Amino acid sequence: MHFRTYLLVIFLFAMTPLMHATDYIKVNLYNGSSLRSVGLRIHRGAYVFLVDGKESAQLNGGNSVQLRAEQGKVVYTINGKQKTATGVAFQAQGHEEEFLLRPASQKLKEHKYQDHLIVKARGNALVLVNEVLLDKYVAGVVEAEAGARHTHEYYKVQSIISRTYALANLNRHSAQGYHLCDQVHCQVYHGKARFNDSIPLATKATEDLVLVDQDIQLITAAFSSNCGGKTLNAEDVWSQSRSYLVSVPDTFCLVMPNSHWEKRIPKVQWYGFLKERNFPLEDTTRHEANFYFPSDKNRYFSDTTFSIKSSDVRSNFKLRSSFFTVQDEGEQMYLIGRGFGHGVGLCQEGAIRMAALGKSYRDILHYYYTDVHLIDRKNIDFFRSEIER
Ligand SMILES: [Zn+2]
Ligand SMILES: [Zn+2]
């Protein structure tokens, strides 16, 4: 057994968490939407309303406050009175507290959030930051990103991935004064997970567990919808390789909804694209060639003498994956593809199937991520000091 692995095994059993998860994460809500005005209503519990850091009022279920940004200031209306402040905050007095946000813009949806809210203004846009316990945030992300119809075991998988991602990316928005945004740039978060009770329970069952590599660094827990039968190496898609993002075969996802796709592209567009890439089109035999992508996932799309990166073809024609073959159909090119997404790391539909077949979240994570460890996040420093010795 590898020395480090041996140490990990010993200490994983010997150590118990030193404390409970009390860490809060700051998430910017309605990021990028230039939200100017929003209504807040206390849904549950008791809040203290702070104006410029000073306690201003006690709020309970049903109480509401209107908030608007005006030239860098926050204009708030409470009990029919309108006032201005540099910043306001809603401080939850317990752990069951919830509030609703209803943006004035019809395009934005109302959501329910837990714990605290900090409100500032940048120009005429509100900056809303939800300060929320890590695992409540994780449960919200799992529901937003994975949906509400999966097995309990699969939700454990997604919880660990989401937690690992959040902790590995705490500096992503440090310049703006919060940890993460609520959009795909970070992880999609629409507030409280509320459509499936299994999600918060799965988050709780895996509390504090994170994925680390052999150097006890939090991993980049990449995942995509369906790998099409074989995952890709990180360097096949991105510039850098990662020891744990290594191609593995996957038969689990082949029976799932996103395993296959097809698309027809007018030949004019197809050749226009090849011409832009300096593909030698003067040779007429090439026009008749059946372009193909070799059956063993190759990174390059080619006709034997000239190649184009398949990810380039994918982004240009907005294809579901970069795993496909191309056939000449006369007026059109017929593309038959497999999978959905970049194909690196965990395959969501493969993992959903594995969980349904009774595999454990540990088996699933170790299947898709090579040579990783699942450890309690509070013990990371301890394990790091052990390998530095
Ligand atoms: Zn972000
Ligand atoms: Zn797959």
Side-chain angles (χ1 to χ4, degrees):
M1 190 186 276
H2 191 281
F3 178 63
R4 277 177 201 164
T5 313
Y6 178 72
L7 271 179
L8 272 172
V9 170
I10 295 277
F11 288 105
L12 273 176
F13 288 105
M15 299 224 8
T16 48
L18 300 171
M19 52 183 175
H20 258 300
T22 50
D23 300 31
Y24 286 83
I25 190 154
K26 291 182 179 179
V27 189
N28 178 223
L29 308 178
Y30 299 100
N31 178 273
S33 64
S34 299
L35 178 65
R36 182 158 196 195
S37 174
V38 72
L40 178 146
R41 186 159 59 84
I42 307 299
H43 180 72
R44 184 197 286 208
Y47 279 82
V48 167
F49 180 52
L50 298 164
V51 176
D52 292 330
K54 294 199 187 77
E55 188 172 331
S56 168
Q58 290 276 347
L59 302 173
N60 295 302
N63 289 161
S64 61
V65 179
Q66 284 296 316
L67 301 157
R68 184 163 54 86
E70 193 76 58
Q71 296 177 341
K73 297 278 182 189
V74 177
V75 179
Y76 62 96
T77 307
I78 185 166
N79 298 327
K81 285 181 192 149
Q82 183 176 301
K83 292 179 183 169
T84 301
T86 303
V88 302
F90 299 83
Q91 202 171 60
Q93 298 301 291
H95 288 299
E96 301 298 317
E97 274 52 13
E98 296 172 1
F99 60 91
L100 286 158
L101 289 181
R102 179 176 289 174
S105 163
Q106 297 289 322
K107 279 181 268 174
L108 301 171
K109 284 190 182 150
E110 174 183 291
H111 293 301
K112 186 189 286 180
Y113 296 93
Q114 295 162 284
D115 298 339
H116 319 295
L117 182 73
I118 302 156
V119 185
K120 288 180 183 158
R122 191 176 296 130
N124 287 332
L126 289 169
V127 181
L128 304 170
V129 176
N130 184 198
E131 198 172 346
V132 58
L133 273 173
L134 176 65
D135 273 12
K136 291 180 185 173
Y137 164 76
V138 168
V141 170
V142 170
E143 184 167 280
E145 297 234 356
R149 289 183 196 172
H150 298 295
T151 59
H152 190 58
E153 204 63 17
Y154 178 68
Y155 286 135
K156 291 183 192 170
V157 169
Q158 284 284 159
S159 295
I160 292 165
I161 288 176
S162 165
R163 184 181 300 114
T164 303
Y165 179 91
L167 294 171
N169 288 279
L170 289 176
N171 292 324
R172 214 153 196 223
H173 288 280
S174 53
Q176 290 112 308
Y178 44 84
H179 296 119
L180 299 165
C181 73
D182 65 347
Q183 303 295 306
V184 284
H185 173 262
C186 289
Q187 303 193 98
V188 179
Y189 170 66
H190 298 318
K192 188 185 179 183
R194 47 186 176 150
F195 299 109
N196 188 336
D197 292 341
S198 174
I199 296 173
L201 292 174
T203 303
K204 179 79 185 156
T206 59
E207 189 173 3
D208 292 325
L209 286 181
V210 290
L211 288 160
V212 294
D213 64 12
Q214 296 290 308
D215 297 321
I216 321 295
Q217 298 296 322
L218 291 163
I219 72 163
T220 300
F223 61 88
S224 64
S225 175
N226 188 308
C227 73
K230 189 177 176 188
T231 69
L232 290 177
N233 299 304
E235 67 269 27
D236 294 341
V237 178
W238 301 309
S239 52
Q240 280 184 310
S241 65
R242 289 275 184 277
S243 62
Y244 46 85
L245 296 177
V246 178
S247 176
V248 294
D250 181 6
T251 54
F252 296 102
C253 63
L254 293 178
V255 294
M256 302 298 279
N258 288 325
S259 61
H260 291 83
W261 57 267
E262 48 191 79
K263 183 166 183 162
R264 287 184 168 81
I265 297 170
K267 223 171 195 174
V268 180
Q269 283 180 28
W270 181 254
Y271 281 126
F273 167 75
L274 294 183
K275 212 174 164 186
E276 274 175 28
R277 301 299 186 280
N278 297 316
F279 198 97
L281 288 172
E282 66 284 353
D283 177 357
T284 52
T285 59
R286 286 178 191 278
H287 291 248
E288 305 306 322
N290 271 354
F291 296 93
Y292 69 100
F293 207 172
S295 58
D296 185 25
K297 244 181 180 179
N298 190 313
R299 282 197 282 160
Y300 292 93
F301 164 78
S302 74
D303 79 330
T304 68
T305 54
F306 188 90
S307 64
I308 294 175
K309 215 168 179 187
S310 63
S311 54
D312 184 15
V313 184
R314 182 190 174 202
S315 62
N316 189 75
F317 291 106
K318 297 187 170 56
L319 306 177
R320 298 183 107 195
S321 72
S322 53
F323 186 8
F324 56 89
T325 58
V326 184
Q327 290 171 14
D328 193 333
E329 272 195 343
E331 290 300 298
Q332 308 185 93
M333 298 305 276
Y334 178 42
L335 280 63
I336 307 158
R338 287 166 68 170
F340 190 4
H342 54 63
V344 181
L346 180 128
C347 169
Q348 285 181 296
E349 289 195 339
I352 288 165
R353 178 96 179 118
M354 285 174 87
L357 292 171
K359 305 273 186 203
S360 74
Y361 70 91
R362 286 178 186 274
D363 289 345
I364 296 168
L365 290 166
H366 285 298
Y367 186 78
Y368 290 106
Y369 300 117
T370 304
D371 292 338
V372 294
H373 301 293
L374 263 168
I375 65 170
D376 187 301
R377 68 191 178 99
K378 298 203 189 70
N379 298 334
I380 283 180
D381 288 342
F382 172 80
F383 287 126
R384 276 187 194 148
S385 67
E386 283 300 313
I387 64 168
E388 277 159 14
R389 246 174 231 172

PDB file of all heavy atoms in Angstrom, residues 114-134:
ATOM      1  N   GLN A 114     -32.201  30.980   3.056  1.00  0.00           N
ATOM      2  CA  GLN A 114     -32.028  30.703   4.485  1.00  0.00           C
ATOM      3  C   GLN A 114     -30.913  31.578   5.057  1.00  0.00           C
ATOM      4  O   GLN A 114     -30.052  32.075   4.342  1.00  0.00           O
ATOM      5  CB  GLN A 114     -31.661  29.220   4.667  1.00  0.00           C
ATOM      6  CG  GLN A 114     -32.773  28.281   4.235  1.00  0.00           C
ATOM      7  CD  GLN A 114     -32.269  26.873   4.010  1.00  0.00           C
ATOM      8  OE1 GLN A 114     -31.633  26.587   3.007  1.00  0.00           O
ATOM      9  NE2 GLN A 114     -32.553  25.985   4.946  1.00  0.00           N
ATOM     10  N   ASP A 115     -30.940  31.743   6.366  1.00  0.00           N
ATOM     11  CA  ASP A 115     -29.908  32.493   7.098  1.00  0.00           C
ATOM     12  C   ASP A 115     -29.904  33.989   6.752  1.00  0.00           C
ATOM     13  O   ASP A 115     -30.961  34.560   6.584  1.00  0.00           O
ATOM     14  CB  ASP A 115     -28.539  31.824   6.915  1.00  0.00           C
ATOM     15  CG  ASP A 115     -28.532  30.392   7.484  1.00  0.00           C
ATOM     16  OD1 ASP A 115     -29.396  30.097   8.333  1.00  0.00           O
ATOM     17  OD2 ASP A 115     -27.694  29.594   7.069  1.00  0.00           O
ATOM     18  N   HIS A 116     -28.732  34.603   6.651  1.00  0.00           N
ATOM     19  CA  HIS A 116     -28.626  36.072   6.614  1.00  0.00           C
ATOM     20  C   HIS A 116     -28.612  36.674   5.202  1.00  0.00           C
ATOM     21  O   HIS A 116     -28.308  35.991   4.238  1.00  0.00           O
ATOM     22  CB  HIS A 116     -27.328  36.503   7.311  1.00  0.00           C
ATOM     23  CG  HIS A 116     -27.030  35.745   8.561  1.00  0.00           C
ATOM     24  ND1 HIS A 116     -27.836  35.820   9.669  1.00  0.00           N
ATOM     25  CD2 HIS A 116     -26.022  34.881   8.868  1.00  0.00           C
ATOM     26  CE1 HIS A 116     -27.320  35.044  10.627  1.00  0.00           C
ATOM     27  NE2 HIS A 116     -26.238  34.461  10.163  1.00  0.00           N
ATOM     28  N   LEU A 117     -28.873  37.989   5.146  1.00  0.00           N
ATOM     29  CA  LEU A 117     -28.758  38.724   3.881  1.00  0.00           C
ATOM     30  C   LEU A 117     -28.080  40.072   4.135  1.00  0.00           C
ATOM     31  O   LEU A 117     -28.434  40.786   5.073  1.00  0.00           O
ATOM     32  CB  LEU A 117     -30.141  38.970   3.255  1.00  0.00           C
ATOM     33  CG  LEU A 117     -30.109  39.704   1.900  1.00  0.00           C
ATOM     34  CD1 LEU A 117     -29.596  38.776   0.792  1.00  0.00           C
ATOM     35  CD2 LEU A 117     -31.485  40.244   1.529  1.00  0.00           C
ATOM     36  N   ILE A 118     -27.106  40.388   3.300  1.00  0.00           N
ATOM     37  CA  ILE A 118     -26.414  41.674   3.368  1.00  0.00           C
ATOM     38  C   ILE A 118     -26.744  42.423   2.072  1.00  0.00           C
ATOM     39  O   ILE A 118     -26.667  41.840   0.988  1.00  0.00           O
ATOM     40  CB  ILE A 118     -24.877  41.469   3.475  1.00  0.00           C
ATOM     41  CG1 ILE A 118     -24.542  40.630   4.716  1.00  0.00           C
ATOM     42  CG2 ILE A 118     -24.144  42.805   3.503  1.00  0.00           C
ATOM     43  CD1 ILE A 118     -23.224  39.906   4.626  1.00  0.00           C
ATOM     44  N   VAL A 119     -27.134  43.694   2.188  1.00  0.00           N
ATOM     45  CA  VAL A 119     -27.570  44.455   1.010  1.00  0.00           C
ATOM     46  C   VAL A 119     -26.749  45.731   0.869  1.00  0.00           C
ATOM     47  O   VAL A 119     -26.665  46.540   1.801  1.00  0.00           O
ATOM     48  CB  VAL A 119     -29.067  44.848   1.121  1.00  0.00           C
ATOM     49  CG1 VAL A 119     -29.542  45.527  -0.158  1.00  0.00           C
ATOM     50  CG2 VAL A 119     -29.924  43.623   1.432  1.00  0.00           C
ATOM     51  N   LYS A 120     -26.144  45.897  -0.304  1.00  0.00           N
ATOM     52  CA  LYS A 120     -25.442  47.136  -0.631  1.00  0.00           C
ATOM     53  C   LYS A 120     -25.880  47.565  -2.026  1.00  0.00           C
ATOM     54  O   LYS A 120     -26.698  46.876  -2.651  1.00  0.00           O
ATOM     55  CB  LYS A 120     -23.925  46.909  -0.590  1.00  0.00           C
ATOM     56  CG  LYS A 120     -23.414  46.753   0.843  1.00  0.00           C
ATOM     57  CD  LYS A 120     -21.936  46.534   0.901  1.00  0.00           C
ATOM     58  CE  LYS A 120     -21.510  46.306   2.359  1.00  0.00           C
ATOM     59  NZ  LYS A 120     -20.252  45.607   2.460  1.00  0.00           N
ATOM     60  N   ALA A 121     -25.327  48.691  -2.497  1.00  0.00           N
ATOM     61  CA  ALA A 121     -25.680  49.145  -3.847  1.00  0.00           C
ATOM     62  C   ALA A 121     -24.411  49.499  -4.604  1.00  0.00           C
ATOM     63  O   ALA A 121     -23.446  50.010  -4.025  1.00  0.00           O
ATOM     64  CB  ALA A 121     -26.602  50.351  -3.770  1.00  0.00           C
ATOM     65  N   ARG A 122     -24.427  49.166  -5.898  1.00  0.00           N
ATOM     66  CA  ARG A 122     -23.342  49.613  -6.769  1.00  0.00           C
ATOM     67  C   ARG A 122     -24.022  50.373  -7.894  1.00  0.00           C
ATOM     68  O   ARG A 122     -24.722  49.771  -8.716  1.00  0.00           O
ATOM     69  CB  ARG A 122     -22.550  48.407  -7.304  1.00  0.00           C
ATOM     70  CG  ARG A 122     -21.257  48.808  -8.001  1.00  0.00           C
ATOM     71  CD  ARG A 122     -20.431  47.605  -8.438  1.00  0.00           C
ATOM     72  NE  ARG A 122     -19.967  46.822  -7.316  1.00  0.00           N
ATOM     73  CZ  ARG A 122     -20.116  45.491  -7.216  1.00  0.00           C
ATOM     74  NH1 ARG A 122     -20.718  44.833  -8.171  1.00  0.00           N
ATOM     75  NH2 ARG A 122     -19.678  44.840  -6.164  1.00  0.00           N
ATOM     76  N   GLY A 123     -23.884  51.700  -7.878  1.00  0.00           N
ATOM     77  CA  GLY A 123     -24.631  52.513  -8.832  1.00  0.00           C
ATOM     78  C   GLY A 123     -26.112  52.319  -8.595  1.00  0.00           C
ATOM     79  O   GLY A 123     -26.593  52.436  -7.454  1.00  0.00           O
ATOM     80  N   ASN A 124     -26.846  51.937  -9.651  1.00  0.00           N
ATOM     81  CA  ASN A 124     -28.284  51.711  -9.508  1.00  0.00           C
ATOM     82  C   ASN A 124     -28.636  50.218  -9.478  1.00  0.00           C
ATOM     83  O   ASN A 124     -29.733  49.823  -9.846  1.00  0.00           O
ATOM     84  CB  ASN A 124     -29.050  52.399 -10.636  1.00  0.00           C
ATOM     85  CG  ASN A 124     -29.068  53.920 -10.448  1.00  0.00           C
ATOM     86  OD1 ASN A 124     -28.999  54.409  -9.315  1.00  0.00           O
ATOM     87  ND2 ASN A 124     -29.141  54.645 -11.543  1.00  0.00           N
ATOM     88  N   ALA A 125     -27.669  49.413  -9.051  1.00  0.00           N
ATOM     89  CA  ALA A 125     -27.932  47.969  -8.941  1.00  0.00           C
ATOM     90  C   ALA A 125     -27.698  47.514  -7.507  1.00  0.00           C
ATOM     91  O   ALA A 125     -26.732  47.925  -6.864  1.00  0.00           O
ATOM     92  CB  ALA A 125     -27.028  47.199  -9.890  1.00  0.00           C
ATOM     93  N   LEU A 126     -28.603  46.676  -7.025  1.00  0.00           N
ATOM     94  CA  LEU A 126     -28.438  46.127  -5.675  1.00  0.00           C
ATOM     95  C   LEU A 126     -27.389  45.023  -5.684  1.00  0.00           C
ATOM     96  O   LEU A 126     -27.286  44.258  -6.638  1.00  0.00           O
ATOM     97  CB  LEU A 126     -29.767  45.539  -5.180  1.00  0.00           C
ATOM     98  CG  LEU A 126     -30.886  46.517  -4.835  1.00  0.00           C
ATOM     99  CD1 LEU A 126     -32.191  45.763  -4.625  1.00  0.00           C
ATOM    100  CD2 LEU A 126     -30.527  47.324  -3.579  1.00  0.00           C
ATOM    101  N   VAL A 127     -26.606  44.954  -4.615  1.00  0.00           N
ATOM    102  CA  VAL A 127     -25.689  43.828  -4.429  1.00  0.00           C
ATOM    103  C   VAL A 127     -26.218  43.043  -3.229  1.00  0.00           C
ATOM    104  O   VAL A 127     -26.153  43.505  -2.090  1.00  0.00           O
ATOM    105  CB  VAL A 127     -24.239  44.302  -4.168  1.00  0.00           C
ATOM    106  CG1 VAL A 127     -23.314  43.098  -4.000  1.00  0.00           C
ATOM    107  CG2 VAL A 127     -23.763  45.201  -5.303  1.00  0.00           C
ATOM    108  N   LEU A 128     -26.810  41.883  -3.510  1.00  0.00           N
ATOM    109  CA  LEU A 128     -27.430  41.056  -2.470  1.00  0.00           C
ATOM    110  C   LEU A 128     -26.512  39.883  -2.163  1.00  0.00           C
ATOM    111  O   LEU A 128     -26.158  39.120  -3.061  1.00  0.00           O
ATOM    112  CB  LEU A 128     -28.784  40.531  -2.953  1.00  0.00           C
ATOM    113  CG  LEU A 128     -29.812  41.564  -3.403  1.00  0.00           C
ATOM    114  CD1 LEU A 128     -30.993  40.876  -4.069  1.00  0.00           C
ATOM    115  CD2 LEU A 128     -30.280  42.393  -2.212  1.00  0.00           C
ATOM    116  N   VAL A 129     -26.132  39.742  -0.903  1.00  0.00           N
ATOM    117  CA  VAL A 129     -25.243  38.640  -0.524  1.00  0.00           C
ATOM    118  C   VAL A 129     -25.900  37.807   0.564  1.00  0.00           C
ATOM    119  O   VAL A 129     -26.199  38.296   1.654  1.00  0.00           O
ATOM    120  CB  VAL A 129     -23.860  39.164  -0.064  1.00  0.00           C
ATOM    121  CG1 VAL A 129     -22.994  38.004   0.423  1.00  0.00           C
ATOM    122  CG2 VAL A 129     -23.167  39.895  -1.211  1.00  0.00           C
ATOM    123  N   ASN A 130     -26.134  36.549   0.260  1.00  0.00           N
ATOM    124  CA  ASN A 130     -26.730  35.598   1.198  1.00  0.00           C
ATOM    125  C   ASN A 130     -25.592  34.944   1.976  1.00  0.00           C
ATOM    126  O   ASN A 130     -24.752  34.268   1.404  1.00  0.00           O
ATOM    127  CB  ASN A 130     -27.514  34.545   0.392  1.00  0.00           C
ATOM    128  CG  ASN A 130     -28.261  33.534   1.234  1.00  0.00           C
ATOM    129  OD1 ASN A 130     -28.647  32.477   0.736  1.00  0.00           O
ATOM    130  ND2 ASN A 130     -28.492  33.829   2.506  1.00  0.00           N
ATOM    131  N   GLU A 131     -25.572  35.185   3.269  1.00  0.00           N
ATOM    132  CA  GLU A 131     -24.568  34.539   4.109  1.00  0.00           C
ATOM    133  C   GLU A 131     -25.250  33.315   4.711  1.00  0.00           C
ATOM    134  O   GLU A 131     -26.143  33.435   5.549  1.00  0.00           O
ATOM    135  CB  GLU A 131     -24.093  35.504   5.195  1.00  0.00           C
ATOM    136  CG  GLU A 131     -22.800  35.080   5.811  1.00  0.00           C
ATOM    137  CD  GLU A 131     -22.221  36.132   6.762  1.00  0.00           C
ATOM    138  OE1 GLU A 131     -22.685  37.291   6.728  1.00  0.00           O
ATOM    139  OE2 GLU A 131     -21.343  35.786   7.531  1.00  0.00           O
ATOM    140  N   VAL A 132     -24.854  32.144   4.226  1.00  0.00           N
ATOM    141  CA  VAL A 132     -25.619  30.934   4.503  1.00  0.00           C
ATOM    142  C   VAL A 132     -24.685  29.798   4.919  1.00  0.00           C
ATOM    143  O   VAL A 132     -23.538  29.719   4.451  1.00  0.00           O
ATOM    144  CB  VAL A 132     -26.458  30.564   3.242  1.00  0.00           C
ATOM    145  CG1 VAL A 132     -25.582  30.367   2.008  1.00  0.00           C
ATOM    146  CG2 VAL A 132     -27.338  29.357   3.462  1.00  0.00           C
ATOM    147  N   LEU A 133     -25.155  28.946   5.822  1.00  0.00           N
ATOM    148  CA  LEU A 133     -24.348  27.799   6.238  1.00  0.00           C
ATOM    149  C   LEU A 133     -23.973  26.954   5.022  1.00  0.00           C
ATOM    150  O   LEU A 133     -24.818  26.713   4.153  1.00  0.00           O
ATOM    151  CB  LEU A 133     -25.126  26.931   7.229  1.00  0.00           C
ATOM    152  CG  LEU A 133     -25.011  27.322   8.693  1.00  0.00           C
ATOM    153  CD1 LEU A 133     -25.970  26.493   9.542  1.00  0.00           C
ATOM    154  CD2 LEU A 133     -23.583  27.174   9.217  1.00  0.00           C
ATOM    155  N   LEU A 134     -22.735  26.519   4.989  1.00  0.00           N
ATOM    156  CA  LEU A 134     -22.207  25.806   3.827  1.00  0.00           C
ATOM    157  C   LEU A 134     -23.144  24.702   3.340  1.00  0.00           C
ATOM    158  O   LEU A 134     -23.441  24.612   2.148  1.00  0.00           O
ATOM    159  CB  LEU A 134     -20.832  25.211   4.166  1.00  0.00           C
ATOM    160  CG  LEU A 134     -20.207  24.344   3.069  1.00  0.00           C
ATOM    161  CD1 LEU A 134     -19.892  25.154   1.828  1.00  0.00           C
ATOM    162  CD2 LEU A 134     -18.956  23.652   3.586  1.00  0.00           C
TER     163      LEU A 134
END
